[in-house]
Amino acid sequence: MDDFIFGTLATEELRLAHIRSQRGGISHSQRRLPRDPLPGQPVSLELSLGPEHPQQKAWVYWTNDGSDPAGANGQAQNGFVSGLEPIDSEWDNLLWGYIRHFRVELPGQPAGTVVRYRLAAEDVWADSGAFYAYYVDNDPPPDWTKDAILYQIFADRFFDPAPEFPKLEAKPSLKCNGTLRGITAKLDYIAGLGVNCLWLTPIFPSPSYHGYDATSFYEINPRLGTKEDFRQLLDETHARGMKLLMDFVPNHWSNQHPTFIEAQKDQSSPHRPWYTFKTWPHDYKTFFGVKTLPQINLRNREAREHILGAAQYWLEFGVDGFRVDYCIGPSPDFYAEFRRVTRTTNPESWTFGEAVDPPDSQITFAGGMDGSLDFMLLEAMRQTFAFGRWNARRFADFLSRHEAFFPATFSRPSFLDNHDMNRFLWVAGNDKRKLRLAALCQYTLVGAPILYYGTEIGLSQERDMVQHGRAIHEEARLPMPWASSAQDKDLYAYYRGLGQLRHERPALRRGRRETIHADDSVLIYRRVTGSDSLVVVLNTSEKPATVMLALSEARECFATGSDCGIEKTDSGLRLHLPPYGGLVLG
Amino acid sequence: MDDFIFGTLATEELRLAHIRSQRGGISHSQRRLPRDPLPGQPVSLELSLGPEHPQQKAWVYWTNDGSDPAGANGQAQNGFVSGLEPIDSEWDNLLWGYIRHFRVELPGQPAGTVVRYRLAAEDVWADSGAFYAYYVDNDPPPDWTKDAILYQIFADRFFDPAPEFPKLEAKPSLKCNGTLRGITAKLDYIAGLGVNCLWLTPIFPSPSYHGYDATSFYEINPRLGTKEDFRQLLDETHARGMKLLMDFVPNHWSNQHPTFIEAQKDQSSPHRPWYTFKTWPHDYKTFFGVKTLPQINLRNREAREHILGAAQYWLEFGVDGFRVDYCIGPSPDFYAEFRRVTRTTNPESWTFGEAVDPPDSQITFAGGMDGSLDFMLLEAMRQTFAFGRWNARRFADFLSRHEAFFPATFSRPSFLDNHDMNRFLWVAGNDKRKLRLAALCQYTLVGAPILYYGTEIGLSQERDMVQHGRAIHEEARLPMPWASSAQDKDLYAYYRGLGQLRHERPALRRGRRETIHADDSVLIYRRVTGSDSLVVVLNTSEKPATVMLALSEARECFATGSDCGIEKTDSGLRLHLPPYGGLVLG
């Protein structure tokens, strides 16, 4: 069994093509310092020219009034133009040539400014003509997000509170009939886990059971309920001190969306430019070639306002933020406005992206959103705890490099699985010891943990998601089993304990992390903040482990099971860990 | 026909393996700033750890008394130890992991100090255990080297002044019987070209005709003459105001060298550690697997002193410096001592390396030698002028990037060909227009031009150097034809003119270079220093070109031929260039 997380960069061939195109091209790729500028702070932009681009001059065309920059050959037609200076050349052994670096500094701007820009080397636009933008503000993620424990609910799969009633319409999938009321009914169950933030997969009207193909961004899927149901869910959620995040899908929606139907029918429709027709009406840009998922042209002002309006609408409705689906899809300049809208509508809102991409891509969303889902950590945790391919030393080293790469103000919600991949428990061979250990690690790292519905009661799969070379996503989206006999209550209690631990200990939510020890099997790290401090000990191997810890005194405050032991000796504590055992001390 | 210059990095596969090993390893790779430190100047060293190296700590062990540094786990056993600080992590899409960067600053040292160092990540040595060193001094290349025009003589192939006399011994190759007296006899011929510096291929005793497999570094090959002959050659050379460089081969010599014969015969020989025997006596390190060319172990102090002694010996004998063969072979720490010996023996000596390697490798010799042969420019000039694969725009762009990469104090002698590759004229299809244009370019760039013997009278080849997949080097080393009928006197006069031009115009030798114009066909650049300035115009294409130059007045001071024309117009000069035509104005 293999784990295909990063599909577009899964093979060396794909990676090389990506590197070649980025390093070999006329490339800005959002090399901007600072990425998320403060009011008045100048911003340095870099441009590089691969060996086959002989342009001698480079410019940035930019505006600070929200309009599109325009210009050519160093003359601005709208806004400003600034010349870039050549900095140095770098030899590249893959491209077998010099990469030339240029740089320019744009002046600082007042808070609330959206700076929009494009770079060009002589008459060639950088990055195939991409538009970029940044939003000037002093806006780190809201404080509450550091305390968040999230629960991801696949709306259709969660709970049907009235299975005996007739449904509004036939379901495209019969596996479950989850509704918003069903979620409301289970809020105490969720809150019991220490969860204080829900993330719902899309609840917009949609022909599919998953909802990633909306037909409206301003309505609720009638199969899931009504706006009143959603209002009630929100109220009940907030009443429990919990937040709620929606799944926001700005890149594409259904080909049944009224604007798309109209754009395909009527060549002169004002909605036609909301899409990118290569040849009207049947050849248009889509999400990964799926004809039912036309891509929204967010360079079109009306389309963009429609999408931004939806973000504003739901924040005003009361939601607390968004998980942004396929955030690498929209034009990068979209996010400065997304930031402006989300932060001005609700300064306490939280937004993070889903970019199934490596860290150098993740980091480009700094400033546009509060962060992004930590796919790299996901891969590392699965390699270490589920597959056993990475030993503790390699995982420890990954962690420290990974943490050093991202600024502290960049949210990196952590997860062991989601609705797009085999569940962790499945790839761990349904070995719950591995899940417990991985969860212990996840809950004691910096990023806010996300729990995928069902994991807490041992929901796994019937078959692998990949069948005959095709991904059957439903396998990882089985209905939540509510029958008491189908739920692992011990595991629920374990997750509840993890939640409590995280809430009780500020060091886990706000502390720095330091590796104390890592060998082939055992990883020990400390979390420290102010007066709080604790030590996490993880045995990643299939063998029992004994490890010495130079501490004279320590309280066990959490363990994967009762078979973990602490023995006091003259030279410190001797810790006994069973296979896949873990301990928290302090 | 293809041009295989960079054999060890000729294919993408080789390049990827090289990148993987360098970026993926525990790698210093001489990332040292400054590379060539001045007295008292602190030196920053960088170390990077590829994704699979989980070490958390790194140290540099170093000495400043000439002895080898030694130590382990952060404890120095000889000299000093300094801990490196982790700086940041960089995501690498090829390796699919983070590269971790460490840095340390070593304190400045007084002039004349050799600082020797090794880096380690915990208990693993960087770069497979390499020893590095730098020599502290304020020693830019001697001033005369900026005025140098070099002539490369393949000693055996040049001139036999007494063909009727019996030879000292049978020649391994019968194509020629060149001698040192033969070179002396032709010094006026050489000086007539404006050449002021000879570089002789090895003249040490050797079983081969080429001499790269010496049996002594302290003697003269009797087939070429005696030390008296060499003394006379040197005196006559110096009498003409010319310099003479020897070819120095520190990496390997002949398996007939007495020390190697002894080392192979006697397991307890003190010369055995002069070599690296994997299994004594038949399995030993060689130059590219050639058993007749054992590699000298320059980590052995006696072997190193023997080699350094030879450099000192010949400098004291009167030679003016060295071209160092296969300079990437010896342990990198060799060059700090090589620098010390060459500069203290003759502060006016010039040394440059032969590294058939890309610029990131060339630059590592800064400080150890004055520079290195400009192989990258060689490739670019052949691609542009001989093969016509690069247009003028691409070549111009290459030039500016290439010049920006190297510090001005790094000598980059330029050449169109040498004894290890097809002659330029051969790969140019024997089209002398292409050679003239390329030579005009070469002589008007910054680096000191090297003329390979025979090029000036149109010597080409009988066959391609590559026959049935094998390189027959003799094809590029044909005997110098002295018969008047075999010499292109016009070409000689052309080269003589180029030599005069370079000597007359300080802008060509010491000026900066600026591209004025480059299009698909024509490249125009300016050379400027102080009060001197000139403009070089090159038509790299097979079609005539007309180009406007915004100069009201300009004197033609050199041209590839009389078919170049200058026409005065109201808006400047209109230049007419035939195919492969070139002009110098100013």
Side-chain angles (χ1 to χ4, degrees):
Chain A
M1 176 156 40
D2 218 331
D3 215 18
F4 298 101
I5 309 288
F6 298 91
T8 57
L9 291 171
T11 66
E12 169 159 324
E13 212 180 329
L14 290 166
R15 290 172 194 172
L16 279 173
H18 172 73
I19 295 166
R20 275 222 176 71
S21 128
Q22 196 170 77
R23 293 182 66 84
I26 297 178
S27 165
H28 168 49
S29 304
Q30 307 203 56
R31 293 194 305 278
R32 181 170 74 227
L33 270 181
R35 291 188 182 276
D36 186 13
L38 298 171
Q41 200 172 20
V43 173
S44 154
L45 304 176
E46 283 198 23
L47 183 74
S48 59
L49 269 65
E52 302 200 6
H53 298 283
Q55 289 78 4
Q56 298 297 313
K57 292 186 175 162
W59 292 283
V60 56
Y61 303 91
W62 59 283
T63 64
N64 56 3
D65 63 357
S67 65
D68 266 359
N73 291 311
Q75 300 295 319
Q77 281 138 22
N78 182 47
F80 310 99
V81 63
S82 307
L84 278 76
E85 292 298 318
I87 302 301
D88 55 16
S89 43
E90 171 196 3
W91 178 258
D92 190 287
N93 276 313
L94 177 66
L95 301 170
W96 199 253
Y98 289 105
I99 296 174
R100 187 171 197 173
H101 296 285
F102 292 80
R103 195 180 294 149
V104 68
E105 196 176 85
L106 297 188
Q109 300 290 332
T113 309
V114 170
V115 174
R116 300 162 68 72
Y117 67 97
R118 297 180 88 179
L119 293 149
E122 294 177 8
D123 53 353
V124 187
W125 292 112
D127 299 324
S128 310
F131 282 83
Y132 296 107
Y134 55 88
Y135 179 59
V136 178
D137 208 344
N138 188 350
D139 53 358
D143 195 58
W144 68 266
T145 63
K146 292 184 183 157
D147 303 323
I149 297 178
L150 295 92
Y151 190 77
Q152 177 189 354
I153 298 177
F154 200 97
D156 177 73
R157 297 296 192 238
F158 194 60
F159 182 55
D160 178 4
E164 69 277 17
F165 294 124
K167 297 294 162 268
L168 288 170
E169 54 181 291
K171 288 257 174 176
S173 162
L174 295 174
K175 285 210 173 152
C176 195
N177 292 294
T179 63
L180 297 177
R181 289 189 189 187
I183 298 168
T184 307
K186 294 296 184 186
L187 282 177
D188 288 333
Y189 167 91
I190 297 167
L193 290 161
V195 165
N196 56 14
C197 185
L198 307 185
W199 149 31
L200 310 189
T201 57
I203 59 170
F204 307 121
S206 142
S208 74
Y209 74 94
H210 54 69
Y212 285 95
D213 50 347
T215 54
S216 168
F217 267 8
Y218 291 81
E219 299 297 333
I220 297 294
N221 191 329
R223 287 197 310 277
L224 295 171
T226 63
K227 273 193 189 166
E228 273 318 296
D229 293 338
F230 189 45
R231 165 70 58 212
Q232 196 192 352
L233 169 58
L234 261 177
D235 289 348
E236 298 267 348
T237 302
H238 288 155
R240 284 167 179 78
M242 295 160 75
K243 308 276 187 179
L244 188 148
L245 308 181
M246 289 178 97
D247 210 318
F248 197 74
V249 194
N251 184 66
H252 50 268
W253 51 27
S254 169
N255 64 343
Q256 303 304 307
H257 196 282
T259 59
F260 186 75
I261 292 174
E262 189 193 291
Q264 260 197 327
K265 213 183 282 173
D266 176 5
Q267 200 162 0
S268 64
S269 158
H271 292 128
R272 198 183 140 203
W274 286 34
Y275 304 93
T276 309
F277 286 99
K278 294 170 215 168
T279 316
W280 183 87
H282 296 302
D283 189 8
Y284 49 89
K285 278 201 187 168
T286 62
F287 174 72
F288 281 100
V290 180
K291 297 299 268 186
T292 55
L293 297 175
Q295 191 182 41
I296 306 161
N297 173 22
L298 287 177
R299 292 282 322 130
N300 176 272
R301 176 48 59 188
E302 287 71 33
R304 182 177 291 205
E305 293 296 347
H306 180 87
I307 300 291
L308 292 171
Q312 182 173 348
Y313 177 82
W314 292 111
L315 288 174
E316 285 170 352
F317 194 91
V319 306
D320 302 289
F322 302 104
R323 173 263 189 194
V324 178
D325 183 72
Y326 194 60
C327 64
I328 63 169
S331 169
D333 73 327
F334 169 73
Y335 291 98
E337 277 163 285
F338 184 70
R339 183 62 155 187
R340 179 177 53 73
V341 166
T342 52
R343 270 300 200 270
T344 54
T345 306
N346 178 1
E348 286 293 300
S349 63
W350 193 23
T351 52
F352 53 83
E354 182 228 23
V356 193
D357 246 19
D360 59 343
S361 165
Q362 305 273 5
I363 196 74
T364 63
F365 294 98
M369 292 180 281
D370 291 305
S372 62
L373 287 160
D374 201 341
F375 275 91
M376 216 67 233
L377 176 63
L378 167 93
E379 182 177 74
M381 289 196 295
R382 288 165 74 104
Q383 291 292 345
T384 306
F385 299 109
F387 291 105
R389 290 178 191 139
W390 288 18
N391 65 20
R393 209 163 138 83
R394 178 157 180 198
F395 179 66
D397 185 48
F398 165 82
L399 279 183
S400 63
R401 295 178 187 214
H402 189 58
E403 291 160 355
F405 184 79
F406 290 95
T409 52
F410 191 80
S411 299
R412 290 181 288 113
S414 67
F415 56 115
L416 296 175
D417 50 16
N418 68 18
H419 58 292
D420 281 334
M421 64 187 71
N422 280 313
R423 281 179 176 269
F424 179 94
L425 194 51
W426 174 258
V427 293
N430 291 319
D431 188 335
K432 286 182 185 165
R433 296 174 306 171
K434 294 182 178 177
L435 174 61
R436 281 173 180 244
L437 187 67
L440 175 56
C441 176
Q442 184 197 4
Y443 272 68
T444 55
L445 292 179
V446 176
I450 305 174
L451 179 54
Y452 183 42
Y453 81 96
T455 302
E456 73 279 10
I457 45 88
L459 179 58
S460 181
Q461 296 176 201
E462 288 161 3
R463 306 186 299 170
D464 198 84
M465 214 181 80
V466 179
Q467 294 291 335
H468 312 293
R470 276 195 60 212
I472 316 288
H473 288 91
E474 285 86 340
E475 299 297 334
R477 305 168 182 176
L478 294 183
M480 176 76 178
W482 290 107
S484 187
S485 62
Q487 296 199 341
D488 181 337
K489 294 287 166 34
D490 288 344
L491 194 55
Y492 181 93
Y494 182 78
Y495 263 105
R496 178 193 187 93
L498 281 176
Q500 271 173 351
L501 180 70
R502 193 166 174 97
H503 287 307
E504 281 165 9
R505 303 304 294 265
L508 289 180
R509 307 190 307 274
R510 286 142 198 273
R512 64 183 187 278
R513 195 198 62 84
E514 293 158 3
T515 297
I516 295 174
H517 168 90
D519 59 31
D520 285 356
S521 313
V522 176
L523 165 60
I524 309 180
Y525 50 84
R526 182 182 283 123
R527 296 294 310 276
V528 191
T529 186
S531 59
D532 190 32
S533 160
L534 39 73
V535 171
V536 180
V537 187
L538 308 171
N539 175 16
T540 67
S541 86
E542 61 190 350
K543 291 183 189 150
T546 299
V547 65
M548 287 300 301
L549 193 62
L551 278 181
S552 58
E553 195 78 49
R555 192 177 60 90
E556 174 186 315
C557 56
F558 196 83
T560 48
S562 56
D563 43 358
C564 299
I566 305 179
E567 192 187 332
K568 259 193 183 178
T569 76
D570 289 347
S571 49
L573 301 177
R574 183 177 291 126
L575 308 176
H576 298 278
L577 295 156
Y580 311 115
L583 262 174
V584 181
L585 305 172
Chain B
M1 176 155 42
D2 218 328
D3 215 17
F4 297 101
I5 309 288
F6 299 91
T8 57
L9 292 171
T11 66
E12 167 158 325
E13 212 180 332
L14 290 166
R15 290 172 195 172
L16 278 174
H18 172 73
I19 295 166
R20 274 223 178 70
S21 128
Q22 198 171 76
R23 294 182 66 84
I26 297 178
S27 165
H28 169 49
S29 304
Q30 306 205 56
R31 293 194 305 278
R32 181 170 75 226
L33 270 179
R35 291 187 183 277
D36 186 12
L38 298 171
Q41 201 171 21
V43 173
S44 154
L45 304 175
E46 283 197 23
L47 183 74
S48 58
L49 270 65
E52 304 201 4
H53 298 283
Q55 289 78 4
Q56 299 295 313
K57 291 184 176 163
W59 292 284
V60 56
Y61 303 92
W62 59 283
T63 65
N64 56 5
D65 63 357
S67 65
D68 267 358
N73 292 310
Q75 300 295 318
Q77 281 139 21
N78 182 47
F80 311 99
V81 62
S82 307
L84 279 76
E85 291 298 319
I87 302 301
D88 55 15
S89 42
E90 171 196 4
W91 178 258
D92 189 288
N93 275 314
L94 177 64
L95 301 170
W96 200 255
Y98 289 106
I99 296 174
R100 187 172 194 171
H101 296 285
F102 291 80
R103 193 181 295 150
V104 68
E105 196 176 85
L106 297 187
Q109 299 290 333
T113 309
V114 170
V115 175
R116 300 162 69 71
Y117 66 98
R118 296 181 90 180
L119 294 150
E122 293 177 10
D123 54 351
V124 187
W125 293 112
D127 299 324
S128 310
F131 282 83
Y132 296 107
Y134 54 88
Y135 180 58
V136 178
D137 208 346
N138 188 350
D139 54 357
D143 196 58
W144 68 266
T145 63
K146 292 186 184 158
D147 302 324
I149 298 178
L150 295 92
Y151 191 77
Q152 178 189 354
I153 298 177
F154 200 98
D156 177 73
R157 298 297 193 238
F158 194 59
F159 183 55
D160 179 3
E164 69 277 17
F165 293 122
K167 296 297 164 266
L168 287 170
E169 55 179 290
K171 288 259 178 177
S173 162
L174 295 173
K175 285 211 172 150
C176 193
N177 291 296
T179 64
L180 297 176
R181 290 188 189 187
I183 298 169
T184 307
K186 294 297 185 186
L187 282 177
D188 287 334
Y189 168 90
I190 297 166
L193 290 161
V195 165
N196 55 14
C197 186
L198 306 185
W199 150 30
L200 310 189
T201 58
I203 59 171
F204 307 121
S206 143
S208 75
Y209 73 93
H210 54 68
Y212 284 96
D213 50 349
T215 53
S216 168
F217 268 8
Y218 290 82
E219 299 297 332
I220 296 294
N221 191 330
R223 288 198 309 276
L224 295 171
T226 63
K227 273 194 189 165
E228 273 318 296
D229 293 339
F230 188 45
R231 165 69 60 212
Q232 195 191 352
L233 169 58
L234 260 177
D235 288 348
E236 297 266 350
T237 302
H238 289 156
R240 282 168 180 79
M242 295 160 78
K243 307 276 188 181
L244 188 147
L245 308 181
M246 290 178 96
D247 210 318
F248 196 74
V249 194
N251 183 66
H252 51 267
W253 52 26
S254 170
N255 63 343
Q256 303 304 308
H257 195 283
T259 59
F260 187 73
I261 291 174
E262 191 193 289
Q264 259 196 330
K265 213 182 281 173
D266 176 5
Q267 201 163 358
S268 64
S269 159
H271 292 130
R272 197 183 141 204
W274 287 34
Y275 304 93
T276 309
F277 286 98
K278 293 169 216 167
T279 316
W280 183 85
H282 295 302
D283 189 9
Y284 49 89
K285 277 201 186 169
T286 62
F287 174 72
F288 280 99
V290 181
K291 296 299 267 185
T292 56
L293 298 175
Q295 191 182 41
I296 306 160
N297 173 21
L298 288 177
R299 292 282 321 132
N300 176 272
R301 176 48 59 190
E302 288 71 36
R304 183 177 291 203
E305 293 296 347
H306 180 87
I307 300 291
L308 292 170
Q312 183 173 346
Y313 177 82
W314 292 111
L315 287 173
E316 284 169 352
F317 193 92
V319 307
D320 302 289
F322 302 106
R323 173 263 190 196
V324 178
D325 184 72
Y326 194 60
C327 64
I328 63 168
S331 170
D333 74 326
F334 169 74
Y335 291 99
E337 278 163 285
F338 183 72
R339 184 62 155 188
R340 179 177 54 70
V341 166
T342 53
R343 272 297 202 271
T344 54
T345 307
N346 179 1
E348 286 293 300
S349 64
W350 192 24
T351 53
F352 53 83
E354 181 226 25
V356 193
D357 245 19
D360 59 344
S361 164
Q362 304 274 3
I363 197 75
T364 63
F365 294 98
M369 293 180 282
D370 292 306
S372 64
L373 287 160
D374 201 340
F375 276 90
M376 215 68 234
L377 175 63
L378 166 94
E379 182 177 77
M381 290 196 294
R382 288 164 74 105
Q383 291 293 346
T384 306
F385 299 109
F387 291 104
R389 289 178 192 139
W390 288 18
N391 65 20
R393 206 164 141 82
R394 179 160 179 196
F395 179 66
D397 184 48
F398 164 82
L399 279 183
S400 63
R401 294 178 188 216
H402 189 59
E403 291 160 356
F405 184 78
F406 290 95
T409 52
F410 191 82
S411 298
R412 289 182 288 113
S414 68
F415 56 115
L416 297 175
D417 50 16
N418 68 18
H419 58 293
D420 281 334
M421 64 186 71
N422 280 312
R423 281 179 175 270
F424 179 94
L425 193 52
W426 174 257
V427 292
N430 291 320
D431 187 335
K432 287 182 182 162
R433 298 173 305 172
K434 294 182 178 177
L435 174 60
R436 283 173 178 243
L437 186 68
L440 176 56
C441 176
Q442 185 197 4
Y443 271 69
T444 55
L445 292 178
V446 174
I450 306 175
L451 180 54
Y452 183 41
Y453 81 95
T455 302
E456 73 278 11
I457 45 89
L459 178 58
S460 181
Q461 295 175 202
E462 287 160 5
R463 306 187 299 171
D464 197 83
M465 214 180 80
V466 178
Q467 294 290 334
H468 310 295
R470 278 194 57 213
I472 316 287
H473 288 90
E474 285 86 338
E475 299 298 334
R477 305 167 181 178
L478 293 183
M480 176 76 177
W482 290 108
S484 188
S485 61
Q487 295 199 340
D488 181 336
K489 295 287 168 30
D490 288 345
L491 194 55
Y492 182 93
Y494 181 79
Y495 263 105
R496 177 192 188 93
L498 281 176
Q500 273 174 350
L501 179 70
R502 192 164 174 99
H503 288 307
E504 281 165 7
R505 303 303 294 265
L508 289 181
R509 306 190 308 275
R510 287 143 196 273
R512 65 182 187 278
R513 195 198 63 83
E514 293 157 4
T515 297
I516 295 174
H517 167 92
D519 58 30
D520 285 357
S521 314
V522 176
L523 165 61
I524 309 180
Y525 51 84
R526 182 183 283 124
R527 296 294 310 275
V528 190
T529 187
S531 59
D532 190 31
S533 160
L534 39 74
V535 171
V536 179
V537 187
L538 308 171
N539 175 16
T540 67
S541 85
E542 61 192 350
K543 291 184 188 148
T546 299
V547 63
M548 288 299 301
L549 194 61
L551 278 181
S552 58
E553 194 78 48
R555 191 178 62 89
E556 173 185 317
C557 56
F558 196 84
T560 47
S562 56
D563 43 359
C564 298
I566 304 179
E567 193 186 330
K568 260 195 183 178
T569 75
D570 290 346
S571 49
L573 300 178
R574 183 177 290 127
L575 308 176
H576 299 278
L577 296 155
Y580 310 115
L583 261 175
V584 182
L585 305 171

